[in-house]
């Protein structure tokens, strides 16, 4: 079976094994549409023990990118334990091939597109299992966490725009402890996103400013990719 579900010591927690993040995303989206509410943990690769050595899957990563962005691609790949094997010029593009653990590919695509202004062309495929290569650095930015419960207000979101990017819209129901955005700095920050503007009968002269709210929206697949950045790595 391509999809396997394993029970744990906790009756409410299950380990789900599938063929990649896309495969798991289809299951999660199907359950969400059927009305299930769930918490998704950090995606992990399946390790194997070969001749008494803990091994992990490795993949061949191919990236074609304009020459001015080549250094950024190399930096991103090496941070995730990738080794550059081939680098050659093809017209106006730099062709690079890396050997990289599958763990390093989780969340890499969105970062690669951001670093190269959307110019990078990526492809990867599984090659073999090799010895575990050590921990990969986790997230750099913290998250924004809701302090109270209630509907999110436009007033609060606008006031906290300089703290980071929000994942929620005004009027959306928020619960205490909910992750509602990504902070601009390291470390997590607890904020009050349900505070309403205090109305009184005091008159004041001034210009009326219409706020422009910037919401960071993701598809389900990108949300699963970003779980690996918004949660601290376990290995």
């Amino acid at each position: 079976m391509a999809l396997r579900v394993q029970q744990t010591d906790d009756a409410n927690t299950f380990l789900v094994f599938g063929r990649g993040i896309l495969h798991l995303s289809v299951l999660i989206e199907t359950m969400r549409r059927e009305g299930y509410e769930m918490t998704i943990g950090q995606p992990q690769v399946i390790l194997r023990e070969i001749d008494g050595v803990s091994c992990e899957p490795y993949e061949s990563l191919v990236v074609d990118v304009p020459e001015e962005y080549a250094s950024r691609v190399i930096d991103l790949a090496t941070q995730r334990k990738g080794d550059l094997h081939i680098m050659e010029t093809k017209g106006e593009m730099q062709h690079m091939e890396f050997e990289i653990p599958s763990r390093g590919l989780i969340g890499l695509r969105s970062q690669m597109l951001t670093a190269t202004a959307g110019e990078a062309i990526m492809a990867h495929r599984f090659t073999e299992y090799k010895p575990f290569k050590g921990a990969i650095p986790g997230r750099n930015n913290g998250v924004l966490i809701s302090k109270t419960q209630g509907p999110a207000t436009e007033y609060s979101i606008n006031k906290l725009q300089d703290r980071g990017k929000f994942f929620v819209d005004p009027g959306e129901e928020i619960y205490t402890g909910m992750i509602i955005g990504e902070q601009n700095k390291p470390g997590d920050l607890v904020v009050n996103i349900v505070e309403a503007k205090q109305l009184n009968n005091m008159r004041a002269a001034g210009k009326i400013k219409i706020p422009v709210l910037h919401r960071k929206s993701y598809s389900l697949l990108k949300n699963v990719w970003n779980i690996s950045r918004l949660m601290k790595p376990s290995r």
Side-chain angles (χ1 to χ4, degrees):
M1 294 290 291
L3 188 69
R4 181 161 55 93
V5 179
Q6 178 179 317
Q7 293 183 334
T8 64
D9 297 334
D10 187 351
N12 297 320
T13 304
F14 298 89
L15 289 176
V16 183
F17 301 83
R19 292 186 174 179
I21 293 178
L22 179 59
H23 190 192
L24 298 178
S25 298
V26 173
L27 171 65
I28 296 168
E29 176 64 12
T30 301
M31 294 180 65
R32 186 190 68 81
R33 292 185 180 186
E34 292 178 356
Y36 289 94
E37 183 175 346
M38 72 203 84
T39 300
I40 310 300
Q42 180 183 5
Q44 298 179 356
V45 299
I46 300 176
L47 303 179
R48 290 183 179 177
E49 188 170 325
I50 302 176
D51 297 329
V53 179
S54 180
C55 297
E56 63 177 330
Y58 275 70
E59 301 196 27
S60 174
L61 171 65
V62 179
V63 183
D64 291 313
V65 69
E67 186 174 356
E68 61 266 27
Y69 298 120
S71 60
R72 300 183 186 180
V73 172
I74 295 173
D75 184 51
L76 284 173
T78 53
Q79 285 179 10
R80 293 167 173 260
K81 304 295 183 181
D83 295 325
L84 179 62
H85 289 181
I86 298 176
M87 182 175 181
E88 55 189 10
T89 302
K90 292 185 177 181
E92 298 180 353
M93 306 287 281
Q94 284 286 341
H95 176 82
M96 291 170 283
E97 296 185 14
F98 300 86
E99 184 184 57
I100 186 171
S102 296
R103 292 179 297 129
L105 293 173
I106 299 176
L108 178 61
R109 181 178 298 275
S110 59
Q111 292 187 15
M112 191 80 74
L113 292 175
T114 300
T116 61
E119 295 284 348
I121 302 173
M122 288 179 53
H124 56 87
R125 61 180 178 83
F126 170 77
T127 54
E128 59 179 333
Y129 271 82
K130 299 180 69 173
F132 188 79
K133 205 169 184 179
I136 293 176
R139 57 183 168 124
N140 295 322
N141 295 358
V143 296
L144 299 173
I145 303 173
S146 175
K147 180 180 180 181
T148 54
Q149 182 177 351
T153 63
E154 185 175 351
Y155 171 74
S156 294
I157 295 178
N158 179 60
K159 191 171 64 173
L160 296 169
Q161 285 286 308
D162 59 337
R163 299 290 186 174
K165 298 292 185 181
F166 287 92
F167 303 152
V168 296
D169 290 320
E172 190 170 335
E173 285 294 329
I174 308 297
Y175 57 84
T176 303
M178 179 178 175
I179 295 178
I180 55 176
E182 181 179 358
Q183 194 188 183
N184 294 328
K185 301 178 182 179
D188 300 340
L189 181 65
V190 179
V191 297
N192 184 0
I193 199 177
V194 303
E195 180 185 4
K197 186 175 182 180
Q198 297 297 323
L199 302 178
N200 52 51
N201 59 359
M202 298 295 293
R203 295 188 179 184
K207 295 181 179 179
I208 299 176
K209 295 183 179 179
I210 301 176
V212 178
L213 303 181
H214 301 281
R215 180 179 183 270
K216 198 168 187 177
S217 59
Y218 293 115
S219 63
L220 177 65
L221 183 58
K222 274 197 172 183
N223 276 328
V224 178
W225 277 335
N226 278 278
I227 290 174
S228 64
R229 295 197 305 116
L230 296 178
M231 296 182 66
K232 296 179 181 178
S234 58
R235 302 189 68 92

